[in-house]
Amino acid sequence: MPEFTPVIKKNDIQRQTVRIAKIISDDYQGRELVLVGVLKGAFIFLADLVRQLTLEKVKIDFLQASSYGADTISSGNIVLKKDIDVDIRGKDVLVVEDIVDTGLTLAYLIRHLKRMSPGSIKVCAMIDKRERRKAAVTVDYACSTVPEGFLVGYGLDYAEYYRNLPEIYHMKL
Ligand code: 5GP
């Protein structure tokens, strides 16, 4: 049986999401924002974040990239599995990630989205895990920072399990 240690409690996730949503709402006040969620891990975070935004005009779309294969560290071989449908030309885009680890996936996705000529592009991550960072990416809005470890819950999976856990755990196999 894997071992689970709580890392970020339900209340803390909620508090951090409210805090970040306020900053984003201030930064984009009076503007239209396109949130681009990165599937599958960001689906719960995005759903909670978007309901805290006090912006009038928000569009939501999703991308899906795969990088991990069977391992728990990014291989760097990233494949785009699902692209966005919303036209982001000239628009303010906020990429919503579950967790940024090596940053290779995010770097790939930003390069991909920039080809569609958005007006601006920023990144919001539920968790910024900086220790293994390989790509020079900027996380503009981070709810939590953790040093290392493999996390599950609140959207984050291991072999597609545990996404439904209401808080975030460190998992040891
Ligand atoms: P990166 O390319 O930054 O190394 O990895 C990004 C993706 O890897 C994330 O979007 C996420 O899907 C997955 N990932 C990175 N770290 C973790 C982790 O601790 N737990 C889980 N479940 N997925 C992770």
Side-chain angles (χ1 to χ4, degrees):
M1 257 307 268
E3 216 178 277
F4 296 98
T5 316
V7 176
I8 312 173
K9 300 273 195 199
K10 216 164 154 181
N11 283 350
D12 292 325
I13 299 172
Q14 203 187 357
R15 211 164 27 84
Q16 292 298 337
T17 308
V18 168
R19 178 183 67 83
I20 283 292
K22 276 205 184 99
I23 300 172
I24 295 170
S25 299
D26 285 349
D27 289 356
Y28 290 93
Q29 207 47 246
R31 284 150 70 187
E32 180 172 326
L33 184 61
V34 184
L35 296 186
V36 176
V38 183
L39 292 172
K40 299 175 189 173
F43 81 107
I44 295 181
F45 174 53
L46 186 141
D48 284 346
L49 180 77
V50 75
R51 282 176 289 180
Q52 296 294 333
L53 295 178
T54 56
L55 301 170
E56 257 178 53
K57 290 185 130 190
V58 174
K59 287 185 181 177
I60 298 167
D61 207 341
F62 293 94
L63 275 175
Q64 187 170 13
S66 98
S67 64
Y68 261 43
D71 208 349
T72 55
I73 182 157
S74 179
S75 61
N77 295 322
I78 294 142
V79 183
L80 190 71
K81 287 171 119 186
K82 188 220 169 290
D83 207 346
I84 54 169
D85 303 311
V86 167
D87 182 7
I88 59 166
R89 180 173 292 270
K91 304 281 187 197
D92 290 319
V93 171
L94 184 65
V95 178
V96 181
E97 259 281 27
D98 49 0
I99 183 163
V100 181
D101 184 13
T102 64
L104 292 170
T105 309
L106 187 58
Y108 171 91
L109 292 177
I110 289 175
R111 270 199 308 277
H112 173 73
L113 291 169
K114 276 190 173 163
R115 280 188 221 117
M116 299 178 201
S117 309
S120 72
I121 181 159
K122 284 194 175 186
V123 175
C124 173
M126 178 170 81
I127 299 167
D128 190 359
K129 198 164 76 176
R130 293 187 194 144
E131 271 190 5
R132 297 198 295 199
R133 195 62 42 85
K134 286 186 184 159
V137 287
T138 305
V139 177
D140 302 279
Y141 308 98
C143 282
S144 304
T145 306
V146 298
E148 34 98 57
F150 190 77
L151 308 178
V152 295
Y154 197 75
L156 296 170
D157 76 311
Y158 174 69
E160 296 298 328
Y161 292 113
Y162 312 124
R163 294 192 195 277
N164 58 311
L165 297 176
E167 36 195 24
I168 297 171
Y169 295 86
H170 179 255
M171 191 188 97
K172 211 163 128 198
L173 278 174

